[in-house]
Amino acid sequence: MNFLATMQSATLSVRPSSVPLTKTPKLTPLRSQIKLHALSFNAIRPPLSIKNGRLGLSAVVRAASESGAGAGDVKVEEAKEGAGSLMKTLQLGSLFGLWYLFNIYFNIYNKQVLKAFPHPITITTVQFAVGTVLSIFMWTVGIIKKPKISTSQLVAILPLAVVHTMGNLFTNMSLGKVAVSFTHTIKAMEPFFSVLLSALFLGEFPSVWVVLSLIPIVGGVGLASLTEASFNWAGFWSAMASNVTFQSRNVLSKKVMVKREESLDNISLFSIITIMSFFLLAPITFFVDGVKVTPTFLEAAGLNVKQLYTKSLIAALCFHAYQQVSYMILSKVSPVTHSVGNCVKRVVVIVTSVLFFRTPVSPINSLGTGIALAGVFLYSRVKKIKPKTA
């Protein structure tokens, strides 16, 4: 009995331990699932440092910050480019505004001087003399760096000085003969001569639309000329001659600025041209007019010397200023664009001179001037159209 009781108790003690053995296979799928999940996690996990999770996280943060910094740099560069473009536009607009303002004052005071003292060649020489003194003064005190110029450059600039001298002389001759408004109406034909000379010397051939836009300009100037109260042939042909010479100067100056041997900026170029023009015109003035600017001569002619000198000086200063600004603009834009801006300036000068001098203007004359100026606007529009390339 004792033996049987012992065997039964041993059997009962063994049975509970056999239960886990029958449930152990059920744990295998769970382990495999854990392994599969671990493999899947490693497959989709970003390539961070396994040893140091913090290092991997900092790498992600640093990469994101670098990416953000790069985008910020692009935005900063775009902002700088936009600001630079805006500054260039404002600078060019300011130059055009000064060009117009100085030109208005020049035309008003110059016309008053020509009325009292009808000697355009002497007046032109005085204007070149004032510009020469200003240029030498600015070089001496260091406001403008004195240019180093070679003999070959002087030879290349000489034709510019010749046409510059002739253009200003013809303009003063026209202003002395006819109304300021009529002179500038005739000079509205500058786009015609600009297109012609640009084609001949620069190889810039106009499109059909540009040629068609020149028709109202020519027609409007012709209509205004037929009904101009102050019309005379001397004033008309002088203004036409100034168109040819000034546009020749613009085209030639563009070629000189492109092909110059050394650094010669636009201000230095204009200053040299002014000085050369003075020395070209002074001997001719002496032989044609003599010396007629002395106080004795002016008083004998019954003129107010102080008033004439003051107005002549103001006109000469404005003359030098607007010419210099004109050259500054020409260095930034094409000759055709410069001509268009010059024609817009005509509108301002015509309106201002009509109001200031109370010039009588007939309806037909106004119509002709309006047609010419509308042609200039059309010209500026179609000039921007680029021909299609095959």
Side-chain angles (χ1 to χ4, degrees):
M1 292 293 294
N2 292 332
F3 177 77
L4 292 175
T6 302
M7 291 296 296
Q8 288 178 355
S9 63
T11 302
L12 290 174
S13 63
V14 172
R15 283 180 181 176
S17 62
S18 65
V19 174
L21 294 177
T22 58
K23 293 182 179 181
T24 300
K26 294 182 180 180
L27 296 175
T28 303
L30 179 61
R31 290 178 181 176
S32 62
Q33 289 178 6
I34 293 174
K35 290 182 180 180
L36 288 175
H37 285 305
L39 292 174
S40 301
F41 176 75
N42 289 331
I44 64 175
R45 187 177 59 180
L48 303 179
S49 174
I50 299 176
K51 295 182 179 179
N52 193 340
R54 292 182 181 178
L55 179 61
L57 182 60
S58 64
V60 174
V61 173
R62 184 169 60 253
S65 63
E66 289 177 355
S67 176
D73 291 339
V74 172
K75 291 181 180 179
V76 170
E77 290 297 327
E78 291 178 353
K80 288 182 178 179
E81 291 178 0
S85 178
L86 178 60
M87 287 301 297
K88 289 180 180 179
T89 302
L90 292 175
Q91 182 184 20
L92 189 59
S94 299
L95 289 176
F96 271 95
L98 290 174
W99 188 24
Y100 296 173
L101 183 64
F102 288 137
N103 205 280
I104 290 171
Y105 277 96
F106 164 73
N107 280 277
I108 290 175
Y109 282 102
N110 196 42
K111 180 63 177 179
Q112 291 177 339
V113 172
L114 285 167
K115 278 184 176 181
F117 186 76
H119 298 281
I121 187 170
T122 298
I123 293 174
T124 306
T125 303
V126 170
Q127 291 167 356
F128 285 139
V130 172
T132 299
V133 172
L134 285 175
S135 299
I136 295 175
F137 172 77
M138 289 188 290
W139 288 343
T140 303
V141 300
I143 297 176
I144 298 176
K145 185 179 179 181
K146 186 178 180 180
K148 295 180 180 180
I149 187 167
S150 63
T151 304
S152 60
Q153 284 179 306
L154 288 175
V155 173
I157 294 173
L158 181 60
L160 295 178
V162 172
V163 295
H164 180 77
T165 304
M166 295 173 62
N168 286 284
L169 177 58
F170 285 137
T171 299
N172 283 335
M173 291 173 62
S174 180
L175 289 172
K177 295 292 184 180
V178 296
V180 175
S181 57
F182 182 57
T183 296
H184 286 277
T185 299
I186 300 172
K187 289 173 73 67
M189 284 188 64
E190 281 190 348
F192 173 82
F193 294 102
S194 176
V195 169
L196 178 63
L197 295 175
S198 294
L200 292 176
F201 295 102
L202 299 181
E204 299 176 358
F205 297 98
S207 64
V208 177
W209 295 109
V210 170
V211 174
L212 292 176
S213 69
L214 299 177
I215 296 176
I217 298 176
V218 177
V221 170
L223 185 61
S225 301
L226 292 174
T227 57
E228 173 60 35
S230 65
F231 178 87
N232 63 73
W233 286 109
F236 175 82
W237 287 116
S238 296
M240 292 294 289
S242 70
N243 284 337
V244 177
T245 52
F246 273 135
Q247 293 310 306
S248 299
R249 181 200 65 180
N250 291 343
V251 173
L252 289 173
S253 63
K254 199 70 175 181
K255 292 176 71 68
V256 169
M257 282 191 280
V258 171
K259 297 182 178 181
R260 57 178 178 262
E261 297 174 2
E262 300 175 2
S263 177
L264 184 63
D265 57 38
N266 51 320
I267 298 178
S268 299
L269 178 62
F270 172 70
S271 300
I272 293 171
I273 289 175
T274 300
I275 296 172
M276 294 177 72
S277 297
F278 169 70
F279 285 104
L280 287 171
L281 192 59
I284 300 174
T285 304
F286 178 77
F287 286 108
V288 174
D289 281 352
V291 181
K292 296 183 178 180
V293 294
T294 60
T296 304
F297 179 87
L298 297 176
E299 287 176 355
L303 298 174
N304 187 325
V305 178
K306 182 179 180 181
Q307 188 178 31
L308 186 66
Y309 280 175
T310 302
K311 291 184 177 181
S312 298
L313 180 61
I314 295 174
L317 291 174
C318 291
F319 167 81
H320 184 79
Y322 95 76
Q323 294 274 8
Q324 183 164 314
V325 174
S326 175
Y327 263 77
M328 293 175 66
I329 294 174
L330 184 61
S331 67
K332 300 178 181 296
V333 300
S334 67
V336 175
T337 302
H338 183 273
S339 178
V340 172
N342 204 18
C343 290
V344 175
K345 181 198 65 182
R346 304 288 177 211
V347 180
V348 181
V349 172
I350 288 172
V351 174
T352 305
S353 64
V354 168
L355 295 176
F356 184 85
F357 293 108
R358 298 180 181 179
T359 306
V361 180
S362 65
I364 301 299
N365 185 274
S366 300
L367 178 63
T369 303
I371 292 174
L373 297 177
V376 172
F377 176 78
L378 180 62
Y379 169 83
S380 65
R381 292 287 90 191
V382 301
K383 190 61 184 176
K384 295 181 179 180
I385 301 176
K386 296 181 180 180
K388 295 181 179 180
T389 56

